[in-house]
Amino acid sequence: MSNQLLREALTLDRYPRSNTYDPQWIVDNLMGPHPLWSAESLMQAMTLRPGMRVLDLGCGTALTSIFFAREYDVEVWATDLWVDPTENWQRIQEAGAADRVHPIQSDAHKLPFAHGFFDAIVSVGAFNYFGTGADYLAYCTQFLRPGGTVGVVVPGIRTQPDLAPPPYLATRWGPDLCTWLPPDWWRQLWERTNLVTVETADFVPNGWSDWLLWLKTCAQVGRGYAPDEQMLEADQGNLLGLTRLVAHLD
Ligand SMILES: C[S@@+](CC[C@H](N)C(=O)[O-])C[C@H]1O[C@@H](n2cnc3c(N)ncnc32)[C@H](O)[C@@H]1O
């Protein structure tokens, strides 16, 4: 598929900022659902102001960190466990964001930052890997200033099935799917801490269909993931999508 066809396949009116990025660059560095679409959908529910200090938690290949820095003129600490920070630094420099994006390798449970340092924490496609424990929000918001914002987009399920999951979910079931949780599950987890006011806990509009489009397009250039594509196709948007959360530290 040519770059032009890839661009056409991955251009959506609802993501005008994402549309300006090289689709090949995004596909080459993918680690899950389209990271810039998720980041842009998060920003439809959350505000970053120029000059803010932002922690991008579980940034993977740092595409979202570069996106936040370039699009919203913020300074970003691109923090991830598995991806080599030297590789991220290379990507950050090539993207012309070296003055505003700082690559850090760290476990999300052992963050090397000063308490109260950040204006915002964002996390795209990653918070479910480390943030489902009852104590995690209290831990990570120590690094936020009072009134700071935390915003998350993660794979999710609309409601937990009462009975056994449908066969197309059962086939793909595993520890990772157990962390795909409904917006209200996260809302309750966060509200119980009494630390934050939850402003948004919903499903990203068109999350399921955009995710499937992304997987199908990636498959055409040899970067697909058939188990998730088949599962999303079978689901038809009944249960699966992207959970979005935005809260302010009280
Ligand atoms: C599916 S990838 C998503 C990466 C990127 N945000 C994106 O949307 O493409 C999940 C990321 O979570 C990170 N991660 C998982 N457990 C972590 C932990 N304990 N601390 C920090 N990052 C973690 C991994 O390093 C990985 O890059």
Side-chain angles (χ1 to χ4, degrees), residues 31-32 35 58-60 80-83 106-109 124-126 129-130:
M31 294 185 77
C59 69
D80 196 76
L81 185 58
W82 303 337
V83 177
S106 172
D107 187 325
H109 296 96
V124 170
Y129 287 85
F130 45 77

Short mmCIF file of all heavy atoms in Angstrom, two decimals, residues 31-32 35 58-60 80-83 106-109 124-126 129-130, ligand 1:
data_model
loop_
_atom_site.label_atom_id
_atom_site.label_comp_id
_atom_site.label_asym_id
_atom_site.label_seq_id
_atom_site.Cartn_x
_atom_site.Cartn_y
_atom_site.Cartn_z
N MET A 31 1.88 0.20 19.02
CA MET A 31 1.92 -0.78 20.12
C MET A 31 0.51 -1.18 20.55
O MET A 31 0.36 -1.94 21.50
CB MET A 31 2.67 -0.20 21.32
CG MET A 31 4.14 0.03 21.05
SD MET A 31 5.05 0.58 22.51
CE MET A 31 5.24 -0.94 23.45
N GLY A 32 -0.51 -0.63 19.90
CA GLY A 32 -1.90 -0.92 20.30
C GLY A 32 -2.83 -0.13 19.39
O GLY A 32 -2.48 0.15 18.24
N PRO A 35 -2.45 5.43 18.44
CA PRO A 35 -2.15 6.23 19.63
C PRO A 35 -2.55 7.70 19.49
O PRO A 35 -2.97 8.31 20.47
CB PRO A 35 -0.62 6.08 19.78
CG PRO A 35 -0.13 5.68 18.43
CD PRO A 35 -1.22 4.92 17.78
N GLY A 58 3.49 5.44 30.53
CA GLY A 58 3.37 4.30 29.62
C GLY A 58 3.31 4.78 28.19
O GLY A 58 2.48 4.33 27.40
N CYS A 59 4.23 5.68 27.85
CA CYS A 59 4.18 6.36 26.53
C CYS A 59 4.59 5.46 25.39
O CYS A 59 4.44 5.85 24.23
CB CYS A 59 5.08 7.60 26.55
SG CYS A 59 6.84 7.16 26.62
N GLY A 60 5.12 4.25 25.69
CA GLY A 60 5.53 3.36 24.60
C GLY A 60 6.60 4.02 23.75
O GLY A 60 7.64 4.47 24.26
N ASP A 80 8.23 5.37 30.25
CA ASP A 80 7.80 4.02 29.87
C ASP A 80 8.76 2.99 30.45
O ASP A 80 9.91 3.29 30.74
CB ASP A 80 7.77 3.90 28.33
CG ASP A 80 6.98 2.69 27.89
OD1 ASP A 80 5.74 2.74 27.94
OD2 ASP A 80 7.61 1.67 27.51
N LEU A 81 8.25 1.76 30.58
CA LEU A 81 9.06 0.68 31.16
C LEU A 81 9.77 -0.14 30.09
O LEU A 81 10.97 -0.39 30.17
CB LEU A 81 8.16 -0.23 32.01
CG LEU A 81 8.86 -1.35 32.78
CD1 LEU A 81 9.92 -0.80 33.73
CD2 LEU A 81 7.84 -2.17 33.57
N TRP A 82 9.02 -0.60 29.07
CA TRP A 82 9.58 -1.59 28.15
C TRP A 82 10.41 -0.96 27.03
O TRP A 82 11.32 -1.60 26.51
CB TRP A 82 8.46 -2.39 27.47
CG TRP A 82 7.54 -3.10 28.41
CD1 TRP A 82 7.80 -3.47 29.71
CD2 TRP A 82 6.19 -3.54 28.13
NE1 TRP A 82 6.71 -4.09 30.25
CE2 TRP A 82 5.71 -4.16 29.30
CE3 TRP A 82 5.37 -3.46 27.01
CZ2 TRP A 82 4.42 -4.70 29.38
CZ3 TRP A 82 4.09 -4.00 27.08
CH2 TRP A 82 3.62 -4.61 28.26
N VAL A 83 10.07 0.23 26.61
CA VAL A 83 10.74 0.81 25.42
C VAL A 83 12.01 1.53 25.85
O VAL A 83 12.00 2.33 26.80
CB VAL A 83 9.78 1.76 24.66
CG1 VAL A 83 10.50 2.40 23.48
CG2 VAL A 83 8.54 1.00 24.19
N SER A 106 11.11 4.12 33.37
CA SER A 106 10.73 3.92 34.77
C SER A 106 9.52 3.01 34.86
O SER A 106 8.64 3.03 33.99
CB SER A 106 10.40 5.27 35.42
OG SER A 106 9.87 5.08 36.71
N ASP A 107 9.47 2.26 35.94
CA ASP A 107 8.25 1.54 36.29
C ASP A 107 7.25 2.57 36.83
O ASP A 107 7.62 3.43 37.65
CB ASP A 107 8.59 0.50 37.38
CG ASP A 107 7.41 -0.42 37.68
OD1 ASP A 107 6.25 0.04 37.64
OD2 ASP A 107 7.67 -1.59 37.97
N ALA A 108 6.01 2.46 36.39
CA ALA A 108 4.97 3.40 36.84
C ALA A 108 4.74 3.34 38.35
O ALA A 108 4.12 4.24 38.91
CB ALA A 108 3.66 3.10 36.11
N HIS A 109 5.26 2.30 38.99
CA HIS A 109 5.13 2.19 40.44
C HIS A 109 6.31 2.78 41.18
O HIS A 109 6.33 2.80 42.42
CB HIS A 109 4.97 0.72 40.86
CG HIS A 109 3.71 0.10 40.35
ND1 HIS A 109 3.66 -0.66 39.20
CD2 HIS A 109 2.44 0.15 40.83
CE1 HIS A 109 2.41 -1.06 39.00
NE2 HIS A 109 1.66 -0.58 39.96
N VAL A 124 -2.12 6.77 27.56
CA VAL A 124 -2.86 6.26 26.40
C VAL A 124 -2.51 4.79 26.19
O VAL A 124 -1.34 4.45 25.97
CB VAL A 124 -2.51 7.10 25.15
CG1 VAL A 124 -3.07 6.44 23.89
CG2 VAL A 124 -3.02 8.53 25.29
N GLY A 125 -3.50 3.94 26.29
CA GLY A 125 -3.30 2.51 26.01
C GLY A 125 -2.39 1.81 26.99
O GLY A 125 -1.81 0.77 26.66
N ALA A 126 -2.23 2.34 28.18
CA ALA A 126 -1.24 1.78 29.10
C ALA A 126 -1.71 1.67 30.54
O ALA A 126 -1.26 0.78 31.27
CB ALA A 126 0.03 2.63 29.04
N TYR A 129 -2.30 -1.52 32.41
CA TYR A 129 -1.20 -2.43 32.73
C TYR A 129 -0.72 -2.25 34.18
O TYR A 129 -0.15 -3.17 34.74
CB TYR A 129 0.00 -2.19 31.80
CG TYR A 129 -0.21 -2.69 30.40
CD1 TYR A 129 -0.87 -1.91 29.45
CD2 TYR A 129 0.25 -3.94 30.01
CE1 TYR A 129 -1.06 -2.36 28.15
CE2 TYR A 129 0.07 -4.41 28.72
CZ TYR A 129 -0.59 -3.61 27.80
OH TYR A 129 -0.78 -4.07 26.52
N PHE A 130 -0.89 -1.07 34.73
CA PHE A 130 -0.31 -0.84 36.06
C PHE A 130 -1.27 -0.11 37.01
O PHE A 130 -0.97 0.02 38.19
CB PHE A 130 0.99 -0.02 35.95
CG PHE A 130 0.90 1.15 35.01
CD1 PHE A 130 0.25 2.32 35.39
CD2 PHE A 130 1.45 1.10 33.74
CE1 PHE A 130 0.15 3.40 34.52
CE2 PHE A 130 1.36 2.19 32.86
CZ PHE A 130 0.71 3.33 33.25
C1 LIG B 1 0.17 -1.29 24.64
S1 LIG B 1 1.58 -0.30 25.03
C2 LIG B 1 0.97 1.32 24.64
C3 LIG B 1 2.07 2.28 24.38
C4 LIG B 1 1.65 3.66 23.91
N1 LIG B 1 1.11 4.47 24.98
C5 LIG B 1 0.70 3.59 22.75
O1 LIG B 1 -0.47 3.94 22.91
O2 LIG B 1 1.12 3.18 21.67
C6 LIG B 1 1.58 -0.33 26.80
C7 LIG B 1 2.78 0.38 27.40
O3 LIG B 1 2.65 0.31 28.82
C8 LIG B 1 3.95 0.28 29.35
N2 LIG B 1 3.93 -0.30 30.68
C9 LIG B 1 3.43 -1.49 31.07
N3 LIG B 1 3.65 -1.68 32.38
C10 LIG B 1 4.30 -0.57 32.83
C11 LIG B 1 4.80 -0.17 34.08
N4 LIG B 1 4.68 -0.94 35.17
N5 LIG B 1 5.41 1.02 34.16
C12 LIG B 1 5.54 1.82 33.08
N6 LIG B 1 5.08 1.50 31.86
C13 LIG B 1 4.48 0.31 31.73
C14 LIG B 1 4.75 -0.59 28.41
O4 LIG B 1 6.12 -0.28 28.52
C15 LIG B 1 4.13 -0.26 27.06
O5 LIG B 1 4.91 0.65 26.34
#
